[in-house]
């Protein structure tokens, strides 16, 4: 199944939305929307395409009402999602959906591309878990996730980041099933590393930051990420 979502935010009106396939969009405020699952997706062979476009001086908080669960199909295990995010001058986007859970035997590939004006504000959260609970242990039949985050500001690349979780990954070998990452722009707070909890906050060229934390479950990864942000901000 192919799922397509388009969310366009124009000044002076509620978000304009369109969705087909396994997702719907509900406007939950004048500058807020949530993704809602209408069918089991992504299954093996499924592709999700999401476009988020904010015009100048607009605002959007985008979340989801439930976790997205990637499942294998009888004949295919791979599924894909691609987000294209465009944020205009003076616009503000906060994207914080519920976790993506990759079930046993499923392989999910995610790409997020952000194109922003230099005067935009972005707060982008991603939460991933391998297995349906924090006590699942990655093995040969575990799910697998590969994610890439590319960010351009004012047509200048400031981030090209990729990470893998699950079967065959270095994270699985170290006993980690989950991650949380947060990209912020602008953000001039300092870099900080918490080696005890496998979490790091990177200060990027162009006054941006990327915080990434690993955990045995997504709740633990989120907690480590939040603690790292607090520690970094305390250094300012």
């Amino acid at each position: 199944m192919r799922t397509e979502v388009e969310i366009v935010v124009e000044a002076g009106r509620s978000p304009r939305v369109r969705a087909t396939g396994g997702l719907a969009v509900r406007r939950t405020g004048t500058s807020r929307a949530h993704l809602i699952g209408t069918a089991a997706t992504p299954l093996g062979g499924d592709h999700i395409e999401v476009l988020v476009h904010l015009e100048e001086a607009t605002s959007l908080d985008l979340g989801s009402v439930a976790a997205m669960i990637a499942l294998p199909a009888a004949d295919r295990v791979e599924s894909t999602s691609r987000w294209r995010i465009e944020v205009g001058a003076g616009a503000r986007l906060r994207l914080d959906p519920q976790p993506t859970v990759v079930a046993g035997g499923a392989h999910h590939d995610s790409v997020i591309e952000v194109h922003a004006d230099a005067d935009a504000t972005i707060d982008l959260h991603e939460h991933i878990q391998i297995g349906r609970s924090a006590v699942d242990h990655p093995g040969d039949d575990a799910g697998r996730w590969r994610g890439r985050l590319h960010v351009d500001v004012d047509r200048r690349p400031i981030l090209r980041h990729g990470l893998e979780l699950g079967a065959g990954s270095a994270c699985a070998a170290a006993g980690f099933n989950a991650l949380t990452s947060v990209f912020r722009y602008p953000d001039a707070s300092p870099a900080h590393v918490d080696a005890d909890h496998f979490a790091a906050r990177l200060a990027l060229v162009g006054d941006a930051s990327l915080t990434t934390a690993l955990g045995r479950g997504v709740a633990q990864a989120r907690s480590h990420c939040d603690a790292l942000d607090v520690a970094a901000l305390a250094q300012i």
Side-chain angles (χ1 to χ4, degrees):
M1 176 169 59
R2 182 178 179 85
T3 295
E4 296 183 357
V5 174
E6 182 178 87
I7 302 172
V8 178
V9 185
E10 301 168 332
R13 59 178 295 176
S14 297
R16 177 162 50 88
V17 303
R18 179 184 66 84
T20 61
L23 291 173
V25 184
R26 293 291 180 268
R27 289 180 289 261
T28 50
T30 55
S31 60
R32 185 184 300 273
H34 283 78
L35 299 175
I36 300 173
T38 59
T41 191
L43 299 175
D46 286 0
H47 177 67
I48 299 172
E49 191 88 19
V50 181
L51 170 64
V52 179
H53 177 80
L54 276 68
E55 295 193 352
E56 293 185 8
T58 59
S59 179
L60 177 66
D61 288 346
L62 180 59
S64 61
V65 300
M68 184 176 74
I69 301 179
L71 296 165
D75 58 341
R76 292 187 64 178
V77 299
E78 300 90 359
S79 59
T80 57
S81 63
R82 179 170 180 173
W83 290 64
R84 181 177 176 88
I85 298 171
E86 302 166 351
V87 189
R92 183 193 66 83
L93 172 67
R94 177 181 173 85
L95 174 62
D96 191 4
Q98 295 296 314
T100 295
V101 177
V102 185
H107 296 173
H108 187 69
D109 189 282
S110 169
V111 178
I112 301 174
E113 296 180 358
V114 180
H115 301 269
D117 185 270
D119 194 35
T121 301
I122 301 167
D123 190 3
L124 192 158
H125 301 242
E126 190 170 26
H127 313 285
I128 310 296
Q129 180 164 305
I130 303 299
R132 297 182 189 232
S133 76
V135 299
D136 290 345
H137 297 283
D140 293 338
D141 61 346
R144 187 172 71 198
W145 173 86
R146 181 176 66 163
R148 285 159 287 171
L149 174 59
H150 297 173
V151 181
D152 291 356
V153 173
D154 204 20
R155 298 185 179 181
R156 181 167 61 100
I158 64 171
L159 178 63
R160 296 292 185 267
H161 182 256
L163 196 59
E164 296 186 10
L165 280 177
S169 70
C171 293
F176 296 112
N177 298 7
L179 73 84
T180 283
S181 69
V182 181
F183 171 83
R184 290 190 175 95
Y185 173 85
D187 184 7
S189 53
H192 190 79
V193 176
D194 182 351
D196 292 335
H197 294 124
F198 293 87
R201 177 188 180 92
L202 306 179
L204 306 176
V205 173
D207 287 337
S209 71
L210 178 68
T211 303
T212 304
L214 300 172
R216 295 191 61 79
V218 74
Q220 185 182 67
R222 271 179 161 174
S223 176
H224 293 336
C225 193
D226 291 345
L228 195 67
D229 275 346
V230 170
L233 292 171
Q235 297 181 30
I236 298 177

